[in-house]
Amino acid sequence: MTPLFPIRLKKGVDDAVRGGAPWVYASDIIDSSQGLLYPHGSLVAIENAKGQAIGTGYYNSKSQISCRVLALGKEAVDEAFFTRRFERAMGLRDALVGVPYYRMVHSEADGLPGLLVDRFGDTLVVQVGTAGMELLQPLWLPALDALLKPTGIVLRNDVAARTLEGLAKSVSWLKGANAGLYEVVENGCVYFADLERGQKTGWFFDQRDNRKMIAEMSKGKTLVDVFSHSGGFGVIAAKMGARAVTMVDSSALALSLATKAAQRNDVANLCVTVQGDAFEVMDRLRQDGKRYEVVLADPPAFVKTKKDIAAGMRGYLKVARMAAGLVEPGGLLFVASCSHHAIRPAFNKAVLEGVAKARREAVLLKQTGAAGDHPKHPALPQNEYLKGILLKIA
Ligand code: SAH
């Protein structure tokens, strides 16, 4: 094997890396300028201050995160390395979820920075977010293919983060071809996903447990599911006994899949969809005097970068204010945020202020996160991106 480019860590930093820190910053490296000469994304040997190798990572000369750690000690980054990581990730999900519909690889949390794999039965959706992981495709693709023998693999490399890494955006099938809509089996329901055109990877597996929790609390009740996407919350709620479900989203594609899921689960008679801007629809529903025993709002990420924090928080406040206005006295309100930068205390504060602005009182029942197939890297607090807050509204 050709020797890897070296990066040498400043004294003391190697302890953090050996202790599991997944990122090395430019400021952690002795003479990081030499890295500018390394091809973007290349594998590097991570050395301590004495020049002894302590692990392997990939290098990004354009980012403050200069190196993402792949392996510690002498473990080589080859096809077998990816096979081991995939087996471990799959074992965790198989034990946890029970059906082959889950996020199988969740980037750093599974020891594979820059790689996401979502599993829809025999079909995989893969998303590569970094130049380093892109260069390693000749290793991870055969490993993934040999382990799962999928009939289809679609590469959803159409995320904005790729541009920051200097990578082009595209969607392509690495194996098989698009077979139309794909089923998602979850919590005993069958949903539908469009893996090529759907948002992100086509399905938000991270809300699996929250959907079940809300459905269990909605038996015999009316529910409005704002930002419903393809019916993840609404359809299971109807199936588990909600009296009537209204799903609101701006995306015609998402709502068409929600309707199809309602039909497939024999609850179409209980479900209606409303296409439109959520804020306008919530305003109209309130003016029409509509009230619901359960209101949930799961908006898109309002805080995409650190500089959006203030505006994003105003967004969550507004969502909570408008949603709270639709809750029957004594009913439930669930608001979620999928923004990494919206940390829990600030998010809770925005939601509670929104409820107060609606002149309603709240009791905090529960705080929730992402389902277990979205594990958190212990050293990356930003991995706790999905936050839910469940309130009882007086
Ligand atoms: N709750 C969903 C996920 C929601 S993702 C689930 O369980 O799967 C956010 C959704 O908000 C997307 O479906 C997107 O189409 C929708 N959306 C974004 N902006 C919107 C707006 N202004 N009005 C209504 N829907 C919007």
Side-chain angles (χ1 to χ4, degrees), residues 95-108:
L96 208 71
V97 185
V99 287
Y101 298 84
Y102 47 61
R103 167 139 306 177
M104 186 180 128
V105 175
H106 193 47
S107 206
E108 275 90 353

Side-chain angles (χ1 to χ4, degrees), residues 199 204 207 211 227-229 232-233 249-251 276-278 298-300:
Q199 295 169 42
F204 299 103
Q207 290 284 26
R211 292 175 183 136
F227 304 99
S228 66
H229 194 238
F233 280 92
D249 204 282
S250 56
S251 160
D277 174 68
D298 177 22

Side-chain angles (χ1 to χ4, degrees), residues 106-125:
H106 193 47
S107 206
E108 275 90 353
D110 286 299
L112 295 168
L115 190 66
L116 298 180
V117 180
D118 276 358
R119 184 171 181 199
F120 296 78
D122 290 337
T123 306
L124 304 178
V125 181

Side-chain angles (χ1 to χ4, degrees), residues 147-284:
L147 183 66
L148 281 135
K149 301 180 185 60
T151 52
I153 305 178
V154 59
L155 196 56
R156 283 293 303 265
N157 278 351
D158 53 348
V159 273
R162 285 179 59 88
T163 317
L164 299 174
E165 287 267 326
L167 300 171
K169 289 201 259 176
S170 67
V171 176
S172 56
W173 286 81
L174 299 176
K175 187 175 186 186
N178 191 4
L181 294 182
Y182 287 78
E183 289 192 347
V184 182
V185 179
E186 182 182 287
N187 291 325
C189 293
V190 179
Y191 299 92
F192 297 95
D194 184 324
L195 305 188
E196 239 188 68
R197 292 185 303 147
Q199 295 169 42
K200 301 281 171 72
T201 60
W203 187 251
F204 299 103
F205 286 110
D206 52 1
Q207 290 284 26
R208 182 190 305 105
D209 296 354
N210 292 329
R211 292 175 183 136
K212 191 166 176 216
M213 175 189 81
I214 295 293
E216 280 167 350
M217 294 180 149
S218 302
K219 288 180 185 169
K221 297 181 177 162
T222 56
L223 171 118
V224 63
D225 175 2
V226 187
F227 304 99
S228 66
H229 194 238
S230 309
F233 280 92
V235 170
I236 181 181
K239 189 161 178 173
M240 287 182 67
R243 202 146 42 85
V245 171
T246 304
M247 294 181 271
V248 180
D249 204 282
S250 56
S251 160
L253 171 64
L255 287 181
S256 74
L257 299 181
T259 301
K260 217 172 142 55
Q263 289 160 352
R264 177 73 161 75
N265 293 282
D266 297 323
V267 291
N269 57 327
L270 300 173
C271 298
V272 291
T273 61
V274 182
Q275 193 194 344
D277 174 68
F279 296 98
E280 287 171 17
V281 175
M282 284 195 281
D283 202 32
R284 200 167 66 230

